[in-house]
């Protein structure tokens, strides 16, 4: 279901600015829509092209609004051709060799929320370099398009990862261990310094910030952000204690 396109972003930015907000958080913008198609973080062609996205971001900037984009590090859509041919190698595994999926929240339609057509998600670990390079390549394109930051959702420690391919200790492989240092710090250093100075990472993380990442809660972050999901605008003020930023 297409509710908005990239051409609609400036009018949302204008409405958010009138409400006293300073940024948009855009979700469901990538191939497949919200919580689908991961890790294909490229514009869904039904919403517009990279050039149309760049133009929309520039128009938001012209009115003094920042633009953030919803992404993930580890959740992937198990139904994509990429997962079937490549992604399976990077799945997080328990001690028996089983993955931890599928899971999901049924975003976007009533039938999905009723768990009838929900997209199945599984976790892949960005400690695997080919997977990490794929993600960073997409995020680099977002930074080049003018994005002010990324909201990295679900950056939590789900489980130990016994997949032997990443070479790390199972208890250190997800979340607060090597994933966080290799993924978040590398992304911040690489894109924030060479592509988009000042690029921010906003993360969903349960509990306090993590010192190895330099993550600290930012008390007033929520009141400056409007989340764009379909036709709904949600003030994130009640989420601010869970929204660290680097």
């Amino acid at each position: 279901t297409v509710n908005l396109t990239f051409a609609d972003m400036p009018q949302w930015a204008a409405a958010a600015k009138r409400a006293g907000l300073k940024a948009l958080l855009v979700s469901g913008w990538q191939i497949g829509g919200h919580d689908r198609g991961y890790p294909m973080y490229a514009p869904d062609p039904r919403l517009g092209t990279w050039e149309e996205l760049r133009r929309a971001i520039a128009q938001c900037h012209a009115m003094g609004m920042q633009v953030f984009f919803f992404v993930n590090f580890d959740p992937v859509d198990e139904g994509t051709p990429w997962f079937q041919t490549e992604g399976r190698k990077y799945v997080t595994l328990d001690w028996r060799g089983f993955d931890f999926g599928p899971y999901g929240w049924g975003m976007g339609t009533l039938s999905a929320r009723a768990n009838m057509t929900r997209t199945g998600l599984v976790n892949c670990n960005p400690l695997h370099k080919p997977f990490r390079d794929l993600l960073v390549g997409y995020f680099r394109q977002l930074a080049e398009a003018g994005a002010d930051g990324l909201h990295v959702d679900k950056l939590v420690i789900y489980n130990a990862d016994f997949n032997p391919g990443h070479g790390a200790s199972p208890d250190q492989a997800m979340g607060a261990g090597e994933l966080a240092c290799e993924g978040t710090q590398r992304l911040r250093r690489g894109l924030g310094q060479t592509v988009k100075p000042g690029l921010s990472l906003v993360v969903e993380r349960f509990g306090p910030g993590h010192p190895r990442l330099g993550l600290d809660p930012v008390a007033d972050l929520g009141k400056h952000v409007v989340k764009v999901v379909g036709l709904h605008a949600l003030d994130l003020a009640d989420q601010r204690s869970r929204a660290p930023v680097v």
Side-chain angles (χ1 to χ4, degrees):
T1 302
V2 175
N3 295 315
L4 298 169
T5 68
F6 298 148
D8 298 310
M9 286 172 54
Q11 73 182 54
W12 278 77
K17 185 174 183 178
R18 290 194 297 270
L21 300 170
K22 298 181 180 180
L24 297 180
L25 174 56
V26 184
S27 64
W29 61 274
Q30 83 298 324
I31 294 173
H34 193 62
D35 275 356
R36 295 187 65 190
Y38 303 153
M40 302 296 109
Y41 291 103
D44 191 301
R46 295 171 296 176
L47 307 182
T49 63
W50 275 113
E51 182 54 38
E52 289 170 318
L53 181 58
R54 290 187 188 94
R55 188 159 54 244
I57 294 172
Q59 290 176 286
C60 294
H61 287 167
M63 64 183 76
M65 294 291 289
Q66 293 184 312
V67 184
F68 291 72
F69 288 85
F70 185 105
V71 301
N72 295 271
F73 278 175
D74 48 307
V76 302
D77 182 345
E78 67 173 357
T80 64
W82 173 85
F83 181 79
Q84 298 300 324
T85 59
E86 174 75 9
R88 289 185 181 277
K89 296 183 291 187
Y90 315 129
V91 169
T92 61
L93 302 174
D94 67 13
W95 63 275
R96 300 164 299 177
F98 298 135
D99 64 43
F100 292 86
Y103 63 91
W105 291 269
M107 302 292 187
T109 66
L110 291 176
S111 61
R113 288 188 177 276
N115 216 21
M116 297 167 60
T117 60
R118 185 192 74 186
T119 297
L121 301 176
V122 296
N123 290 334
C124 288
N125 194 332
L127 275 181
H128 299 274
K129 189 177 185 302
F131 178 44
R132 184 171 69 244
D133 288 346
L134 177 69
L135 290 175
V136 173
Y138 282 125
F139 299 158
R140 176 178 292 273
Q141 289 181 283
L142 269 178
E144 291 172 341
D148 296 287
L150 307 176
H151 169 80
V152 184
D153 207 52
K154 313 174 193 66
L155 189 62
V156 298
I157 305 172
Y158 288 100
N159 44 258
D161 179 10
F162 288 82
N163 186 321
H166 54 62
S169 172
D171 64 327
Q172 292 288 305
M174 295 294 291
E178 281 81 0
L179 164 62
C181 293
E182 286 290 321
T184 306
Q185 289 189 352
R186 184 183 301 239
L187 183 64
R188 179 181 60 176
R189 288 195 303 266
L191 301 188
Q193 293 177 7
T194 63
V195 179
K196 174 71 175 182
L199 183 77
S200 297
L201 296 182
V202 181
V203 307
E204 178 189 34
R205 182 175 176 83
F206 307 110
H210 194 281
R212 292 181 63 188
L213 293 180
L215 299 180
D216 296 302
V218 177
D220 64 348
L221 175 68
K223 62 187 179 184
H224 297 319
V225 177
V226 59
K227 186 174 184 180
V228 179
V229 183
L231 292 177
H232 303 285
L234 173 65
D235 188 340
L236 298 185
D238 62 335
Q239 303 277 340
R240 60 181 178 266
S241 64
R242 296 201 295 124
V245 64
V246 287

